[in-house]
């Protein structure tokens, strides 16, 4: 259980531990959660969606703890944020004011590899996921218009390399790299390196090794 409101987190962990088949622990920060996950094995992560680093923790869980099922706890329903969380790897979205019985249903459900979203939120979440999928497809189409060399340059940009570093890595002149970067921005329909990197990430382009 990861929540900045320690009293809430500890109270909920205590209530959950009262169940014969549940053991729970509460922490109040993302770094503490990372440390706790490295120390012991857990099946479910209850995560406050309003924490500043909640999406960062979801990404880390997906990369390092693929067996862990994240459940997002929210103070209010938000289809956009719910869709973002599900896309990032969450298995469920639950209101903080839900009953303990409801939370246990969700926890036990995600352990059976179920996805839980409140019925009233489902239509909005599906709409957001469909919209995201369309955008991703369009972004992938734009990336597909790049030449192999331009794609290499884009992947270097994703790795945070500047023009000089890209030139050294790809054995090109800085002027040639500048031309490739301009072509990348033009084909992607953006006006800055940051925008190009953001679009590439949404399209699923991996950074340079």
């Amino acid at each position: 259980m990861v929540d900045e409101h320690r009293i809430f987190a500890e109270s909920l962990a205590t209530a959950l531990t009262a169940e014969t088949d549940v053991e729970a622990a509460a922490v109040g920060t993302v770094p503490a959660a990372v440390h706790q996950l490295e120390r012991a094995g857990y099946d479910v992560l209850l995560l406050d969606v309003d924490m500043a680093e909640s999406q960062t923790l979801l990404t880390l869980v997906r990369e390092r703890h693929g067996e862990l099922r994240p459940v997002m706890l929210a103070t209010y329903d938000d289809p956009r944020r719910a869709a973002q969380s599900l896309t990032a790897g969450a298995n469920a979205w639950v209101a903080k004011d839900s009953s303990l019985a409801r939370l246990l249903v969700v926890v036990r459900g995600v352990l059976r590899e179920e996805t839980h979203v409140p019925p009233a939120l489902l239509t909005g979440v599906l709409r957001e996921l469909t919209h995201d999928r369309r955008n991703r497809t369009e972004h992938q189409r734009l990336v597909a218009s790049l030449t192999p060399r331009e794609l290499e340059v884009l992947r270097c940009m994703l790795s945070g390399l500047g023009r000089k570093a890209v030139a050294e890595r790809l054995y090109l002149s800085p002027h040639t790299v500048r031309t490739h970067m301009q072509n990348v921005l033009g084909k992607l329909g953006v006006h800055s390196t940051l925008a190009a990197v953001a679009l590439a990430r949404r399209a699923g382009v991996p950074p340079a090794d």
Side-chain angles (χ1 to χ4, degrees), residues 14 24-25 28 37 48 55 68 74 88 90 95 99 106 108 154 170 183-184 186 188 197 201 204 206:
T14 299
L37 290 174
D48 177 12
Q55 295 297 313
L68 190 64
S99 66
V106 172
R108 290 172 176 138
L154 178 60
L170 300 181
N183 290 340
V184 167
L188 297 184
V197 167
R201 284 175 176 162

Side-chain angles (χ1 to χ4, degrees), residues 149 152-153 155-157 159 161-173 177 207-209:
R149 179 62 85 185
E152 282 186 301
V153 170
R155 292 184 62 195
C156 288
M157 293 161 64
S159 296
L161 301 180
R163 188 188 308 167
K164 183 178 179 181
V166 174
E168 293 175 352
R169 185 185 183 95
L170 300 181
Y171 303 102
L172 300 171
S173 71
V177 170
D209 298 330

